[in-house]
Amino acid sequence: MDDGKIIDLYWMRSETAITETADKYGRYCHGIARGILQSREDAEECVSDTYMRAWNAMPPKRPDCLKTFLGRITRNLSLNRLEQKTARKRAGGQLPLVLDELAECIPDGVSAEQTAEDAAVAALLDRFLDGLAPDVRRIFVRRYWYMHSIRQIAKGYGITESRVKVTLYRTREKLKAALAKEGILL
Amino acid sequence: MKKKEERLLHQIGGIADRYIEEAAPRAESGGITRKKAVAISALAACLCIVSILGFGMLRRGVFTDPPAITTDLPVMETTLPPTPPPITETTPPPMTELPPDTIPPAIGGSHIGDALWEKYIYLADFVSTAKDSFTVREDFDTYMTPYANKKDWGYDRPCVMYYLTQSMKLTREDLEVYYAAIAKQTAKLGYETIPEEVYTGLLTDSLGESMQRFKSPYAFYYEKKLYNVYEVYELDCAGELPFDAADPAYGEVWANILAYVNTGESTNPVNTLLRKYIEAHVPG
């Protein structure tokens, strides 16, 4: 079913909206949740919660892109759930690895108290991503938005894990420079 | 104090839709092997047990120590709707996009997450540790561990609940206690009550009957074994298919597969040759 029609169903408060959403984007959301939570059961609950959040959000919202709208909810819920449920010692998955890698992007000598508007950073990130080659950009987003493993990315794009690592390393270096250049203090 | 890298991670969450969409997982890899699928299935079951029992989550055999997230994440809203609609479907959604290695994509077949046990996947091929149920008996691990660790399941892998029901000699009452204990989860998935067919499929002493009751509409059953369309295709091309794929008994399965392929929602590649192979078998 067309996304616009699905959104219409939400606005009409039709329960079919949920089943149509599950049919079309259930797997996509499940993939995001499972990539973060590394637990099928938790992922399933997260996806169910995603549908409820979507139900609660539409109306008044009418997302331009239903897929990424749902994906963002799932990602946020998954990260929240990981925080609530696992704490440091019990979590698995890509989160600790991703965070370690992202630490390399933080310009030296800046204080965590020096805040910047997230929207401004997001805008910078968009400009940064826009300047990357599409292949590099996809790898970066796969890693840091979808939080896929190096192995998954390598397999997905038919390249070696080494190449993924090198690509990510170079991209992080570029991002670090871009952040520093723009005076973004995280 | 918020960790800087956690903050950056959340800020990355705000990137434009076009980049998220561009990198969204799509059909990227070829058909998954049965061995790998079974291994993933076993690992998933193992993860479930291990995590719920409180032993932590297993990730490639290593227990990790990730940082806790302390940032307030930008979730949309915190209040739930007063009466959110139930998920009324009785099967999991046909998953359209998943990263490779997460849940194997396919149209029917020997894996969890899509089709083989699709009919009652959450009831039949998934086990949770549930209070006061057979899953907390002392001997549970004795039965569960070999199943979860077995890496070489073949086409005859029983779904985990069937395996446990038979090996632990569970009764209907045992199952009812178990499902009652996980009723909250199953209700979320649309099972306000457990279908009678689930009990029948688990309590029968016939593996074949169980398979036929629980198999997805896209899977091929033959002599206590289940095959997905990729396996059928590969085996047939190799002259090793143990049954006649053109048998009219499979006509409905072929029709279901073609209908699913035509939705364009399969994440596994369906190349021209495979499509022609499928079309050639669809009755009429």
Side-chain angles (χ1 to χ4, degrees):
Chain A
M1 181 181 285
D2 176 70
D3 282 0
K5 290 179 181 172
I6 296 177
I7 293 169
D8 286 344
L9 290 172
Y10 278 101
W11 278 66
M12 290 186 290
R13 313 314 284 160
S14 166
E15 294 180 4
T16 312
I18 300 292
T19 51
E20 290 294 336
T21 301
D23 281 349
K24 190 166 185 180
Y25 294 120
R27 187 169 189 173
Y28 172 69
C29 293
H30 191 103
I32 292 171
R34 183 143 175 174
I36 293 170
L37 294 165
Q38 296 291 299
S39 159
R40 180 181 184 81
E41 186 180 50
D42 286 345
E44 281 161 2
E45 290 187 11
C46 230
V47 172
S48 293
D49 289 346
T50 297
Y51 301 149
M52 291 185 184
R53 294 294 174 94
W55 177 263
N56 204 29
M58 295 183 286
K61 287 188 180 295
R62 184 174 277 278
D64 293 331
C65 177
L66 182 60
K67 180 179 180 178
T68 52
F69 175 77
L70 295 167
R72 286 179 199 277
I73 296 174
T74 305
R75 184 178 189 265
N76 290 335
L77 287 174
S78 299
L79 289 170
N80 276 346
R81 190 178 188 85
L82 192 62
E83 175 195 12
Q84 294 166 0
K85 189 176 173 77
T86 66
R88 297 179 65 109
K89 291 183 179 178
R90 299 185 59 190
Q94 296 300 309
L95 181 61
L97 301 173
V98 166
L99 289 176
D100 285 347
E101 291 170 21
L102 286 177
E104 298 173 15
C105 301
I106 311 299
D108 295 332
V110 299
S111 164
E113 280 76 15
Q114 294 174 300
T115 59
E117 289 293 328
D118 285 357
V121 176
L124 182 145
L125 286 168
D126 284 346
R127 289 198 301 276
F128 173 77
L129 290 171
D130 203 39
L132 296 176
D135 288 351
V136 174
R137 183 167 58 232
R138 280 193 285 265
I139 290 173
F140 184 88
V141 175
R142 275 290 184 93
R143 181 64 175 155
Y144 300 117
W145 200 93
Y146 288 98
M147 298 173 67
H148 286 184
S149 69
I150 301 290
R151 181 166 168 264
Q152 284 178 321
I153 298 169
K155 186 176 178 189
Y157 291 120
I159 57 180
T160 65
E161 292 183 29
S162 296
R163 185 172 163 194
V164 174
K165 289 177 185 173
V166 168
T167 300
L168 289 171
Y169 173 76
R170 289 175 179 164
T171 311
R172 289 197 302 269
E173 289 296 299
K174 286 181 185 174
L175 177 58
K176 180 178 180 179
L179 290 169
K181 183 180 177 183
E182 295 289 329
I184 299 295
L185 305 176
L186 295 165
Chain B
M1 188 190 332
K2 294 175 181 176
K3 289 179 181 293
K4 291 178 285 186
E5 56 269 29
E6 288 173 2
R7 184 168 177 176
L8 180 55
L9 179 67
H10 300 143
Q11 287 166 333
I12 287 172
I15 62 174
D17 283 353
R18 61 183 179 278
Y19 303 126
I20 302 168
E21 173 67 18
E22 178 187 55
R26 298 184 194 287
E28 296 168 336
S29 57
I32 191 158
T33 64
R34 168 169 292 274
K35 186 175 180 183
K36 184 176 177 184
V38 170
I40 291 170
S41 170
L43 179 60
C46 188
L47 274 174
C48 168
I49 298 305
V50 170
S51 61
I52 295 173
L53 286 176
F55 293 123
M57 297 175 66
L58 181 66
R59 183 175 62 83
R60 295 176 184 171
V62 178
F63 288 89
T64 57
D65 188 20
I69 299 171
T70 56
T71 310
D72 293 330
L73 296 169
V75 294
M76 298 195 49
E77 295 181 38
T78 53
T79 55
L80 293 175
T83 52
I87 301 172
T88 53
E89 60 187 2
T90 55
T91 58
M95 299 177 170
T96 55
E97 298 184 65
L98 258 195
D101 289 348
T102 304
I103 290 180
I107 302 166
S110 55
H111 45 72
I112 58 172
D114 192 348
L116 180 62
W117 303 110
E118 183 185 46
K119 199 169 181 181
Y120 298 117
I121 182 169
Y122 299 113
L123 301 178
D125 205 24
F126 187 76
V127 61
S128 294
T129 298
K131 188 181 178 184
D132 297 331
S133 77
F134 72 90
T135 62
V136 294
R137 289 181 189 167
E138 284 187 5
D139 62 346
F140 177 68
D141 283 351
T142 306
Y143 293 99
M144 187 61 218
T145 303
Y147 181 94
N149 289 343
K150 185 173 168 60
K151 305 297 183 192
D152 57 348
W153 284 112
Y155 299 105
D156 56 350
R157 180 180 75 85
C159 61
V160 66
M161 281 297 293
Y162 181 78
Y163 165 84
L164 290 170
T165 302
Q166 297 302 313
S167 59
M168 295 181 74
K169 303 191 185 313
L170 301 179
T171 63
R172 179 176 176 114
E173 289 68 34
D174 291 328
L175 295 173
E176 286 175 343
V177 167
Y178 168 74
Y179 287 124
I182 62 166
K184 192 176 173 184
Q185 294 106 297
T186 54
K188 271 187 173 182
L189 297 164
Y191 299 105
E192 295 294 340
T193 58
I194 305 301
E196 192 60 31
E197 188 177 18
V198 171
Y199 292 111
T200 308
L202 295 179
L203 292 167
T204 176
D205 56 6
S206 164
L207 173 61
E209 181 189 342
S210 174
M211 285 180 152
Q212 290 181 82
R213 285 186 182 278
F214 292 148
K215 88 173 188 69
S216 87
Y218 313 111
F220 296 83
Y221 171 82
Y222 180 72
E223 291 191 350
K224 298 182 181 177
K225 292 178 180 175
L226 287 166
Y227 304 79
N228 69 28
V229 68
Y230 302 98
E231 292 160 343
V232 168
Y233 178 62
E234 289 174 8
L235 289 169
D236 205 1
C237 290
E240 297 172 356
L241 189 65
F243 58 88
D244 180 7
D247 188 318
Y250 297 118
E252 188 175 341
V253 176
W254 286 112
N256 291 336
I257 291 170
L258 183 61
Y260 189 81
V261 168
N262 286 337
T263 66
E265 292 179 345
S266 171
T267 57
N268 233 15
V270 178
N271 61 32
T272 306
L273 288 175
L274 178 55
R275 174 179 276 278
K276 285 183 177 176
Y277 179 79
I278 294 168
E279 289 172 344
H281 285 87
V282 174

